[in-house]
């Protein structure tokens, strides 16, 4: 593959992910750590701590942002409700600790950072993420993601979201590339992979998660399945005709 500065017609690569991957800890693990701290720091019984964090997580996923107040205020309200009357006085401190843990464990691994830096020397990189504008841009900025991507699209700023074809076309337009010159990398079959397929991208790469370790019969079928985002370099090094690293139609794609 030639450097993009060498020729405008050189191969180009649009890497779009729904959330930062190649991180040090899962969201559920981080909340487990917090539940332990609720017991150790505030004397909240273990079963209650587990319930509190589960309730917060459910409500946070359902509504991560609220247009009527700041992100800090909204999340503190969610924690206050989850903690209940007996422990709501701890809401502010618990929220601050949760926010620290959220980004401490979400930080990109050194291997992922190294890969992104290598890719940017040769390819155009795009990030497409679904979610409310304020919450997603907070994530982008706290994780310093802007330095790794040529364009970043947040669905909350647009009339579409993954898997809508239009959001992929918007990314291609901003990068000045054609869909068939791009590949999509993501961990959600129903948004990342399906969207990439329907948008007519050159290929799709799926990274299974603990919640979705393998393909089922009716799932969108990616061109490649890898266990970690850094394995993407193996696909690119093999060129556009590279064989699948794993058989996407079998249980080999279980991410184990």
């Amino acid at each position: 593959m030639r450097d993009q500065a060498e020729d405008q017609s050189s191969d180009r690569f649009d890497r779009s992910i729904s959330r930062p991957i190649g991180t040090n800890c899962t969201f559920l693990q981080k909340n487990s750590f917090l539940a332990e701290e609720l017991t150790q720091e505030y004397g909240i019984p273990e079963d209650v701590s587990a319930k509190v964090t589960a309730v917060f997580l459910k409500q946070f996923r359902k509504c991560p942002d609220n247009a009527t107040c700041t992100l800090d205020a909204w999340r503190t309200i969610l924690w206050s409700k989850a903690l209940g009357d007996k422990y709501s006085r701890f809401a502010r401190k618990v929220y601050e600790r949760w926010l620290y843990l959220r980004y401490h464990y979400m930080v990109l691994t050194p291997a992922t950072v190294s890969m992104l830096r290598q890719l940017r020397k040769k390819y155009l990189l795009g990030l497409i993420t679904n979610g409310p504008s304020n919450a997603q841009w907070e994530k982008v900025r706290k994780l310093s993601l802007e330095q790794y991507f040529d364009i970043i699209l947040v669905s909350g700023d647009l009339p579409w979201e993954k898997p809508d074809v239009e959001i992929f076309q918007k990314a291609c337009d901003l990068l000045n590339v054609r869909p068939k010159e791009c590949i999509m990398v993501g961990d959600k079959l129903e948004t990342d992979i399906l969207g990439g397929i329907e948008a007519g991208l050159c290929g799709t790469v799926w990274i299974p998660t603990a919640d979705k370790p393998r393909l089922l019969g009716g799932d969108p079928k990616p061109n490649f399945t890898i266990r970690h985002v850094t394995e993407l370099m193996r696909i690119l090094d093999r060129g556009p005709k590279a064989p699948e690293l794993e058989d996407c139609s079998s249980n080999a794609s279980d991410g184990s």
Side-chain angles (χ1 to χ4, degrees):
M1 294 184 182
R2 292 166 291 175
D3 292 340
Q4 58 175 278
E6 179 183 346
D7 191 331
Q8 287 297 322
S9 64
S10 62
D11 291 338
R12 295 172 179 178
F13 168 58
D14 169 23
R15 176 180 177 275
S16 306
I17 59 176
S18 61
R19 60 180 180 170
I21 46 185
T23 60
N24 286 323
C25 180
T26 69
F27 199 55
L28 291 175
Q29 285 175 320
K30 180 261 299 175
N31 277 275
S32 177
F33 297 153
L34 184 58
E36 293 176 5
E37 290 195 11
L38 291 181
T39 297
Q40 296 171 0
E41 297 295 326
Y42 302 106
I44 301 175
E46 289 184 9
D47 59 331
V48 176
S49 293
K51 182 179 180 181
V52 164
T53 54
V55 169
F56 170 81
L57 180 58
K58 180 179 179 180
Q59 293 304 312
F60 176 74
R61 284 177 165 172
K62 182 179 179 181
C63 188
D65 197 357
N66 188 311
T68 64
C69 56
T70 66
L71 287 175
D72 290 337
W74 176 241
R75 292 164 178 171
T76 302
I77 290 172
L78 292 181
W79 272 114
S80 181
K81 291 180 178 179
L83 287 161
D85 293 340
K86 187 173 182 179
Y87 301 109
S88 61
R89 64 187 184 278
F90 302 130
R92 183 66 187 182
K93 289 185 176 180
V94 171
Y95 162 61
E96 291 173 351
R97 182 59 177 167
W98 170 85
L99 188 65
Y100 167 79
L101 289 172
R102 174 174 170 78
Y103 289 109
H104 177 74
Y105 289 113
M106 195 181 287
V107 67
L108 298 179
T109 64
T112 301
V113 169
S114 176
M115 180 200 69
L116 289 171
R117 286 174 174 163
Q118 290 181 58
L119 289 176
R120 279 212 76 185
K121 294 177 181 178
K122 199 168 186 179
Y123 305 105
L124 298 172
L125 305 186
L127 169 65
I128 305 175
T129 179
N130 282 356
S133 181
N134 288 340
Q136 295 304 90
W137 279 110
E138 178 196 72
K139 189 185 301 182
V140 167
R141 287 164 182 148
K142 281 187 176 291
L143 297 175
S144 301
L145 298 181
E146 291 167 299
Q147 64 183 304
Y148 305 120
F149 296 94
D150 296 282
I151 61 108
I152 296 176
L153 296 181
V154 175
S155 68
D157 299 328
L158 302 165
W160 330 285
E161 63 179 14
K162 297 178 294 183
D164 296 339
V165 170
E166 290 85 353
I167 198 167
F168 291 91
Q169 187 59 57
K170 180 69 173 179
C172 290
D173 290 344
L174 291 173
L175 291 169
N176 192 28
V177 297
R178 294 172 295 176
K180 67 179 182 179
E181 295 176 307
C182 306
I183 66 172
M184 172 68 187
V185 182
D187 58 1
K188 293 189 182 301
L189 291 167
E190 68 277 13
T191 56
D192 301 321
I193 304 308
L194 177 62
I197 293 171
E198 294 189 342
L201 302 190
C202 175
T204 57
V205 182
W206 180 50
I207 306 170
T209 63
D211 293 337
K212 179 68 174 178
R214 67 189 67 202
L215 289 168
L216 298 178
D219 288 332
K221 186 178 179 181
N223 298 99
F224 301 92
T225 298
I226 58 179
R227 295 184 178 92
H228 192 274
V229 68
T230 53
E231 294 177 21
L232 180 61
M233 298 299 291
R234 293 165 56 193
I235 297 175
L236 296 176
D237 289 343
R238 294 183 181 192
K241 301 298 185 181
E244 294 182 2
L245 295 184
E246 297 194 8
D247 181 0
C248 293
S249 63
S250 74
N251 288 336
S253 303
D254 63 2
S256 60

